[in-house]
Structure formats: C-alpha cells, structure tokens
Amino acid sequence: MDIKDYMQTLGSNAKHAGRVLSRTESGQKNRALLAIADAIDHSRSVLASENQKDLVAGLANGLPAAALDRLALTPKAIDAMIEGLKQVAALPDPVGEITDLSYRPSGIQVGQMRVPLGVIGIIYESRPNVTVDAAALCLKSGNACILRGGSESLHSNQAIAACISQGLQAAELPDTAVQIVATADRAAVGELITMNAYVDIIVPRGGKSLIERISQEATIPVIKHLDGICHVYIDDQADIAKAVAIADNAKTHRYGVCNAMETLLVAESIAHRVLPLLADIFLAKGVELRGCLKTCSLIPECSRATEQDWHTEYLAPILSIRIVDGIDQAMEHISHYSSQHTEAIVTENYTLARRFLREVDSSSVMVNASTRFADGFEYGLGAEIGISTDKLHARGPVGLKGLTSLKFIVLGDGHIRQ
Amino acid sequence: MDIKDYMQTLGSNAKHAGRVLSRTESGQKNRALLAIADAIDHSRSVLASENQKDLVAGLANGLPAAALDRLALTPKAIDAMIEGLKQVAALPDPVGEITDLSYRPSGIQVGQMRVPLGVIGIIYESRPNVTVDAAALCLKSGNACILRGGSESLHSNQAIAACISQGLQAAELPDTAVQIVATADRAAVGELITMNAYVDIIVPRGGKSLIERISQEATIPVIKHLDGICHVYIDDQADIAKAVAIADNAKTHRYGVCNAMETLLVAESIAHRVLPLLADIFLAKGVELRGCLKTCSLIPECSRATEQDWHTEYLAPILSIRIVDGIDQAMEHISHYSSQHTEAIVTENYTLARRFLREVDSSSVMVNASTRFADGFEYGLGAEIGISTDKLHARGPVGLKGLTSLKFIVLGDGHIRQ
C-alpha cells in the first residue's frame, strides 16, 4: 500500500463527506449516533474477540499493565461508549446557530452563523474508547474526521469502525464521514498532519512528547493539550476548612490527571495554621512533599524542592509547596512556572478574589473551588475532545463549540456600498 | 547590533508590558489613545520632515508610484490617523467581559471571561498609517505589540513611535506596550515569528507572497489573509435591477481590494437578460471580460476564460464570467475555485437564499448585497486589523474581539469534586 496515496484518498473522501455533514440536520446526525450505539451493543462478541487479538499481541510485546488496561474493551468500557454516544446525541446541535444579527446604518443585516470546521484529524494512543468519543463529537458538530489510534489497538479500532460505518449507513450518511486509518505505518501520521488541502485541524491526544512532535511537524493548525502544572494559592484571608478541603481534593482526588494540583502556594501568615493540617492528610495518603525552606521548617517530613520541581507536572502522589508573601508573589510564581492550565485561589477577600480572576492568565481560573473541576462535563459542555492549553480559538475544555467556527452572514435587499 | 538579542529584548519588554495592559482599566487605555492622537497632532512638522526622508530615499530607490503614495504622510493621512485613534477610544472595551456565568449541578458557577492574547507581532509593508491603526487596536484590546513595518518607512515609523511613546507615558502606561522594530534588517522578521516564549500571535499584512512566507516560517500561530477570490451568483429568480446594481458595485466600486468580485456566475435561464445589461456597464467602465463559451456567445467583446482565470484574484478591472445550470453548479464552482473570503447570491427565492447561506463555506456569505460590504467598519466592528481567511479563532474581518480569547472562570464556596 502506498501510504501517501492511501491518506490522500482518505482526505479527499473526508472533504466530500464533510460538505454533506455540514448541511445535515440535527435529527439525522442524532439517528446516526444512536444507530452506532445499537451496532456496538449488537457487536459485543466481535468487539471482545478483536480486542483480545490486540491484548494478546500487546502482552507478547511487553506493553505495561496501565497500557493494557487502557486497551481493554471490557463490558463496562463498552457500556460507557454506548452511554457516551447517547449523551452526545442528547446535546444541543451548535451548527447553524445565528447570533448578533442586527441592522447596520447601511441597511444590511449582519450576523454570525456557527459552522463546522470541515475535516478533523485526531491522533491518539491505543485507547479504543477514544475512537467512539472522538467520532461522536465530530459527527455531532458536523465535521468529518480521520482517526489514527495507536497501532496496538488496530484490530479493536477496525471492529469499532465497522459499527460506526453501520450506524452511518443506517442513518443514510456517507460512511466516509468517520474514517479509521487502517495501517500501523507511522508515515500515515506524517501525511495526515500535512494534508492542508483536505484537513482543517489536528487534535492530538496523548503524552506531551507525542503532542510536541506533532505540533512541530504539522502544517495544519493543532489544538493542543500540553502540561497541566496547576496551582492552588491559599491566601491569608482563606477559610481554613475550605482551604484544607480544596487542597486535599485538588491533589489526592486523582493523581494522574492534568487538572490535579502540582504546586501549593501558601501565604506566610497563615502557613503555620494550614500546613500542619494538610501535611497530616497528605502524609497519611502517602503523598511525598517537597517544599521551600520555610515549608520544610514547618513540616519535618518535607524534603527541599529544587528549581526543577516548580516546573514539573508530577502526575503522581508528589506535591511541591512554597510559602509566599501574599497574592503578588503567588501570581508572580504562577506567571513564571504555570503551564496556564488551571489555577485556584482560596480566600474570603473580595478584592483579592477579583484580582486573581482577572490577572491570572490561565485557561481556567477559580475562586474557592478545586482545580479538579476543570473538565468539559463539569463545565456543562456535555463532552470534551480535550483541554486546550493554546490561547487561540479554543482555550480550556473543548466541547462541540470548539470544533466549530463562525462565519459572517449578510442579508440585504439589493444593497450596494456607497 | 545583534538582531537576536535586540528582538529578544523587545519580546521580553512586550511580555512584561502585556501583563500590565491586561489589567489596565478602559479609561486609562482610552486616555493613552487620545494622548497619542494629541501627540501626533502636535508633531505634524516632524512627521512631515521624517516622512520626507523616506520619500526621497524611496524615489531614489525607484519605488513605484503606488508604493510612494502609500508611504506619504499627507496632512489628510495624518488627520485620518488621529480620527482612527479617536474612533478606537470610543469603541467598547471587550476585555474582562464575562459571559454565560451559570450554576452547575455541582454548585460551582462557571463562565467565560474575555482576555487579551498577550503579545501580538504585526508585520506590514511601508504604510506608516498601519503603525498607528495596529497600535491602537492592540492597546485597546489589552495586548502589547511589536510592529515591524517596511524598511522604506523606517524614519516615518520612528517619528510615529515617538508620538505613541509620548501618549503612553502621558497615560502612565509602559512605553514598551507598543514597540517598533528599529532596524531594516530582515533577520528581525525571522526572529519575531519564532519567539514563542514572548509572542502569542503574528498578524502579517501585505501581499500574498509575504503572508505565505511568514506562515510557512512562523512557529507562532498566524492570523492570515490570503486571496480574495470572491463570487457573485445571479440566480434565475434574481431581481434583475438588484442583480445589475450588486454585480456592478461588487466589481467596479474599487478594483484593488480583497472583497471585490473576481468571478460572476449567472444562471443560464436569466443570462440573456442580465448579461447584456452588465456588459454595457462593464465595457463602458473599461472592465475586460473573460467568459465561458456560452458567455462569449452572448457578449461579443468577451474573450475566452482559461482554467487559470477561475483561480485568479485580478485586483484589477478584469472579470471572469461563467454561465451555470443553477445553484448547485454555482456552489460547486465556488467550492472548487473560491478562496473562501466572500460570496453573494442574488435571488428572490427563500429556499435558495437559505441554502446558499448555510452551504457556502466562506468567511462572509451574503444574500442580495454587494461583496464590498465584507469589511470591519461595515460590519460594525469599529475597526479591523485585517480579514482572516483562516477558519480557526477569527474568520472574516478581525476587530478587537479577534485579538482576545476566552478563559473559563469558576466561582465556588469551598467546592470539591466528588
């Protein structure tokens, strides 16, 4: 198989299907989503046996346990895929919405219409459930998509692709609306991210190194999700009980997620009251603490943090802690070390809360809430294709709207420009 | 001067100034804009003499008349710069606006706050008025900017820069909020478009080749404006008088602009009624006509259009004309040849108007209005930094909002994720 030809064909198919999808009514898209859910429900045994092939090969190739876990299509994972499809079908359709339509002095009416982006290329690891999630979001937002999952999940993805194709056909939509790259050849990725004639946007999902490499090589715009080095700042006017609950939740609710707190900043005058309480909790949960000199003097079990610690997204039960003068030093620290994902302040002071909200330049900024809320479902987006750490187009959790754009529409009655 | 060091210093200054600007109140930004207008008004003689140096050098270097015209800071051009500053001061400030703030089932309130992008790099030709326009839009939207005008305008730009600096200082803002690259060395551009640590977005303004080169070499996201191959489709249910007025205006109101019509599509059954009327107008105005075979049989003065013609943005008194079966063939032609800038349909038919609005994938789509309306002022944006032919972030005329982004804000009362 010539990879370039193969990918160009997928691209051309997708562009054509995208034009059809862009004018498909919501009802028909929802019927397709529900038909895909049905097809998956009726294909449980095929999905299991194809997934088994991937799991056996993965085990033979020495995939780590966590990777095998993400690869496995358990009955529960299949239930979740079906439920996800139903949820996306139930979401409002953003496409075609017209906003701000108003008359101009010239007599024309000008507004903006929400439109699909066209063709979306998604590159992800060997997690078959992402195949269904990504397809559902693209379909609902009127975009065709080309999906390239990790090569270890190829059999599983092709079995899922068959279900998707069946559902699309049942709803009389072109089955090229969702295409799976059916080769493990890595050259396919290089081709996908440079097919500017066919693909409008690339969404990489996976580790930081994958995303950095794709961003560097892509000639198509990329919506990326890099680090989540999230901070919680406990101000000297914080309510101690809220501060303890939020810092505990932000760190220990889940360790391996991008919206977990990695660095805790504490105002000096409240540190001796709040840090011992938190240290007890963290140490009891097995969280390793690394702090500044002042922190270490308050918490004997704390080791000294290095410069590298402040830059690190641990994704693990490790926390760095720094005692600061007050909000200005806290915001300076955040400005310097944060990855601009999510930061929170804990304070009862109105003026400081207002300043933090305005001045901290991150995709999510919070007052008296856990960073763990930074999530498309929690924000009411219904679903998310990822969390963008870019500033352009879509910032923070990206739902259906992030997969659309706005075009201007002008309504006249023979109007000409004077 | 080491160009890399010099540009890195500008970048670092800009990043710092951007943080200050992001939290500056609207009143202070407006005071700066008006103080810049005053400074320009009081510096007319200096501006004229510095501009004279550029004009003399330009003449000696054989700059074409059109380029010298754009370079000249006439009293009228200076009046326009002052008026532009006052208009931007009068526009509403988009920064800090909070939308969609609502309670979620978890009890947190989630909304979005409009925030500046940070630092904007603008690369443009030798047009000193762009220096003021661009600085005004960036300042009002809370962004620091680094401006790199054409080397032929260096003296003029530095004189303008002195006025801007004076105005910023009068309003107690850092004069590094607007920085002009004070070297004609082209290496400065290469550095500007790859300083990812300091610059958030690049806006190139100029010819297509400049923009293509910058887009290819930039590692920072670019808001670009490529071709304007705009179409008007006259449907067989068009009102003839409206069709003639719109096609005339779209082509002949101004020839060298991106929103001028370059190709006219006419439904076959109405062509014999509308094309002779239009041919009389176009030929009287000296517009060269290039058409399909059918068009040529209706208009003897018309020459045959080549495949290349349909792909060409003439920016000149030349028009290509094609007779099509109806709306489907018109939209197929547009889909194939358009640069997705602006397209218009002329029709009295409700269903076809609705289809055209929905199905044509261009940054502006119009019904019964001249393509010449595709413009930030006409759309009510107050001013524009350019017209984006990209789909992501900002599509069509880009005003103050296009220079901002949205961050999520979360308000809680000690909320943690369950």
Side-chain angles (χ1 to χ4, degrees):
Chain A
M1 173 161 64
D2 182 280
I3 293 292
K4 190 180 167 74
D5 283 355
Y6 171 68
M7 293 303 294
Q8 294 280 328
T9 304
L10 292 192
S12 168
N13 291 345
K15 186 155 186 169
H16 180 78
R19 287 195 64 205
V20 174
L21 275 188
S22 73
R23 52 179 187 255
T24 300
E25 288 183 3
S26 312
Q28 194 178 356
K29 293 188 286 191
N30 293 341
R31 280 198 299 281
L33 289 166
L34 298 176
I36 295 169
D38 272 351
I40 288 175
D41 198 21
H42 291 115
S43 308
R44 287 175 181 267
S45 62
V46 179
L47 288 172
S49 62
E50 291 301 305
N51 185 239
Q52 196 59 31
K53 293 183 193 168
D54 287 333
L55 287 170
V56 167
L59 204 58
N61 292 326
L63 270 195
L68 288 170
D69 190 47
R70 289 193 293 267
L71 178 54
L73 280 180
T74 61
K76 204 177 145 195
I78 292 175
D79 289 345
M81 294 196 304
I82 292 170
E83 183 53 30
L85 284 158
K86 291 180 179 170
Q87 279 175 8
V88 172
L91 289 175
D93 186 344
V95 175
E97 180 192 34
I98 294 172
T99 47
D100 299 329
L101 187 68
S102 61
Y103 282 94
R104 297 290 309 149
S106 62
I108 58 173
Q109 275 174 292
V110 179
Q112 287 185 291
M113 184 189 283
R114 195 166 283 283
V115 292
L117 291 172
V119 176
I120 300 177
I122 302 180
I123 298 156
Y124 51 104
E125 294 166 322
S126 293
R127 299 177 60 180
N129 63 312
V130 173
T131 306
V132 169
D133 291 353
L137 285 168
C138 291
L139 180 56
K140 182 77 184 222
S141 56
N143 294 288
C145 61
I146 301 175
L147 307 176
R148 208 293 185 171
S151 53
E152 298 89 354
S153 58
L154 199 55
H155 290 100
S156 312
N157 280 339
Q158 290 190 299
I160 291 172
C163 297
I164 293 174
S165 172
Q166 212 177 313
L168 288 166
Q169 286 172 26
E172 294 177 344
L173 283 172
D175 63 0
T176 47
V178 178
Q179 296 176 104
I180 312 271
V181 177
T183 165
D185 192 326
R186 292 175 73 99
V189 173
E191 194 59 31
L192 179 59
I193 63 178
T194 52
M195 299 201 300
N196 295 57
Y198 298 126
V199 181
D200 293 287
I201 189 166
I202 295 289
V203 180
R205 291 183 54 160
K208 190 180 168 190
S209 64
L210 170 84
I211 295 170
E212 277 183 339
R213 190 172 58 80
I214 285 169
S215 304
Q216 270 160 22
E217 292 171 19
T219 53
I220 296 164
V222 178
I223 291 187
K224 21 179 200 305
H225 174 164
L226 292 172
D227 303 18
I229 306 180
C230 304
H231 296 74
V232 172
Y233 166 57
I234 300 177
D235 178 54
D236 59 2
Q237 294 179 56
D239 176 298
I240 301 267
K242 293 179 192 171
V244 169
I246 288 169
D248 175 21
N249 186 259
K251 184 68 227 177
T252 72
H253 185 249
R254 276 181 75 185
Y255 295 111
V257 290
C258 60
N259 56 16
M261 168 176 69
E262 303 293 12
T263 299
L264 175 66
L265 304 169
V266 185
E268 184 153 21
S269 61
I270 204 174
H272 66 284
R273 293 170 58 207
V274 72
L275 278 181
L277 297 174
L278 277 170
D280 285 349
I281 293 170
F282 288 138
L283 294 169
K285 293 187 179 180
V287 177
E288 180 190 338
L289 303 179
R290 304 181 186 175
C292 65
L293 189 61
K294 288 175 182 168
T295 302
C296 291
S297 75
L298 282 176
I299 309 174
E301 295 85 350
C302 189
S303 64
R304 279 299 299 278
T306 63
E307 173 68 15
Q308 187 52 38
D309 279 304
W310 312 120
H311 284 291
T312 300
E313 183 183 21
Y314 300 116
L315 297 172
I318 308 172
L319 175 69
S320 55
I321 306 176
R322 182 177 170 197
I323 292 176
V324 294
D325 298 343
I327 192 171
D328 287 300
Q329 202 176 20
M331 292 199 298
E332 275 299 325
H333 182 102
I334 288 169
S335 168
H336 190 74
Y337 295 103
S338 160
S339 63
Q340 302 185 293
H341 187 298
T342 300
E343 331 295 337
I345 186 174
V346 186
T347 188
E348 295 300 309
N349 181 289
Y350 164 84
T351 299
L352 297 185
R354 194 164 173 261
R355 276 193 63 197
F356 195 86
L357 279 176
R358 174 141 196 183
E359 295 178 27
V360 172
D361 187 25
S362 297
S363 77
S364 288
V365 186
M366 305 184 167
V367 177
N368 292 346
S370 167
T371 56
R372 284 284 293 129
F373 282 111
D375 174 283
F377 289 93
E378 293 292 339
Y379 284 3
L381 308 184
E384 66 175 38
I385 197 127
I387 295 183
S388 163
T389 53
D390 292 320
K391 284 188 174 183
L392 289 191
H393 189 68
R395 202 174 182 196
V398 181
L400 291 174
K401 273 196 182 176
L403 300 178
T404 64
S405 184
L406 293 170
K407 71 181 179 192
F408 283 95
I409 59 168
V410 175
L411 308 181
D413 187 28
H415 287 83
I416 59 172
R417 187 146 166 207
Q418 304 299 337
Chain B
M1 173 161 66
D2 181 280
I3 294 290
K4 191 181 167 73
D5 284 355
Y6 170 68
M7 293 303 294
Q8 294 280 327
T9 304
L10 293 193
S12 168
N13 291 344
K15 186 155 189 171
H16 180 78
R19 285 196 63 204
V20 174
L21 275 187
S22 74
R23 52 179 186 254
T24 300
E25 289 183 2
S26 311
Q28 194 178 356
K29 292 188 286 191
N30 293 341
R31 281 198 298 282
L33 290 165
L34 298 177
I36 295 169
D38 273 350
I40 289 175
D41 198 21
H42 291 116
S43 308
R44 286 176 181 266
S45 62
V46 179
L47 290 172
S49 62
E50 291 301 305
N51 184 238
Q52 195 60 32
K53 293 182 193 169
D54 287 334
L55 287 171
V56 168
L59 205 57
N61 293 325
L63 272 197
L68 288 171
D69 190 48
R70 289 194 291 266
L71 179 54
L73 279 179
T74 60
K76 204 177 144 195
I78 291 175
D79 289 345
M81 295 195 304
I82 292 171
E83 184 53 31
L85 284 159
K86 290 179 179 170
Q87 278 174 8
V88 172
L91 289 176
D93 186 343
V95 175
E97 181 193 34
I98 294 172
T99 47
D100 299 327
L101 187 67
S102 60
Y103 283 94
R104 297 289 310 147
S106 62
I108 59 172
Q109 275 174 291
V110 179
Q112 287 185 292
M113 184 189 283
R114 195 166 281 284
V115 292
L117 292 172
V119 176
I120 300 178
I122 302 180
I123 298 157
Y124 52 103
E125 295 167 322
S126 293
R127 298 178 59 180
N129 63 313
V130 173
T131 307
V132 169
D133 291 352
L137 285 167
C138 291
L139 181 55
K140 182 78 184 222
S141 56
N143 294 288
C145 61
I146 301 175
L147 306 176
R148 209 291 185 170
S151 52
E152 298 89 353
S153 58
L154 198 55
H155 290 99
S156 311
N157 279 340
Q158 290 190 299
I160 291 171
C163 297
I164 293 173
S165 170
Q166 213 177 311
L168 288 166
Q169 286 173 25
E172 294 176 343
L173 283 172
D175 62 0
T176 46
V178 178
Q179 296 176 105
I180 312 271
V181 177
T183 166
D185 192 325
R186 292 175 73 100
V189 173
E191 193 60 30
L192 180 59
I193 63 179
T194 52
M195 300 201 298
N196 295 55
Y198 298 126
V199 181
D200 293 287
I201 188 166
I202 295 289
V203 181
R205 292 182 53 159
K208 191 181 168 190
S209 64
L210 171 84
I211 295 170
E212 277 183 339
R213 190 172 59 79
I214 285 170
S215 304
Q216 270 160 22
E217 294 172 17
T219 52
I220 296 164
V222 178
I223 290 187
K224 28 181 194 304
H225 174 163
L226 293 172
D227 303 20
I229 306 179
C230 303
H231 296 73
V232 172
Y233 167 57
I234 301 177
D235 178 54
D236 60 2
Q237 293 179 58
D239 175 300
I240 301 266
K242 293 178 193 172
V244 170
I246 287 169
D248 176 20
N249 186 258
K251 183 69 226 178
T252 72
H253 185 251
R254 276 181 75 184
Y255 294 111
V257 290
C258 61
N259 56 17
M261 167 177 70
E262 304 294 10
T263 299
L264 175 66
L265 304 169
V266 185
E268 184 152 22
S269 62
I270 203 174
H272 66 285
R273 292 170 59 206
V274 72
L275 277 183
L277 297 173
L278 277 170
D280 286 348
I281 293 170
F282 288 138
L283 295 169
K285 294 186 178 180
V287 176
E288 180 190 338
L289 302 179
R290 304 180 185 174
C292 65
L293 190 60
K294 289 176 182 168
T295 302
C296 292
S297 75
L298 281 176
I299 309 173
E301 296 86 349
C302 189
S303 64
R304 279 300 300 277
T306 63
E307 173 67 15
Q308 186 52 39
D309 278 303
W310 312 119
H311 284 291
T312 301
E313 183 183 21
Y314 299 115
L315 297 171
I318 308 171
L319 176 69
S320 55
I321 306 175
R322 182 177 171 197
I323 292 175
V324 293
D325 298 342
I327 191 170
D328 287 301
Q329 201 176 20
M331 292 199 298
E332 275 299 324
H333 182 102
I334 288 169
S335 168
H336 191 74
Y337 295 105
S338 160
S339 63
Q340 301 185 292
H341 186 296
T342 300
E343 331 295 338
I345 187 174
V346 187
T347 188
E348 295 300 310
N349 181 290
Y350 164 84
T351 299
L352 297 185
R354 194 163 173 261
R355 276 194 63 197
F356 195 85
L357 279 175
R358 173 139 196 185
E359 294 180 27
V360 172
D361 186 24
S362 297
S363 77
S364 290
V365 187
M366 304 184 169
V367 177
N368 293 346
S370 167
T371 55
R372 285 285 292 128
F373 282 111
D375 173 284
F377 290 93
E378 294 293 338
Y379 283 2
L381 308 185
E384 66 176 38
I385 198 127
I387 295 183
S388 162
T389 53
D390 292 320
K391 284 187 175 184
L392 288 192
H393 189 68
R395 201 174 182 196
V398 181
L400 292 175
K401 274 196 182 175
L403 300 179
T404 64
S405 184
L406 293 170
K407 70 182 179 192
F408 283 95
I409 60 169
V410 175
L411 308 181
D413 187 29
H415 287 83
I416 59 172
R417 188 148 165 203
Q418 303 301 337

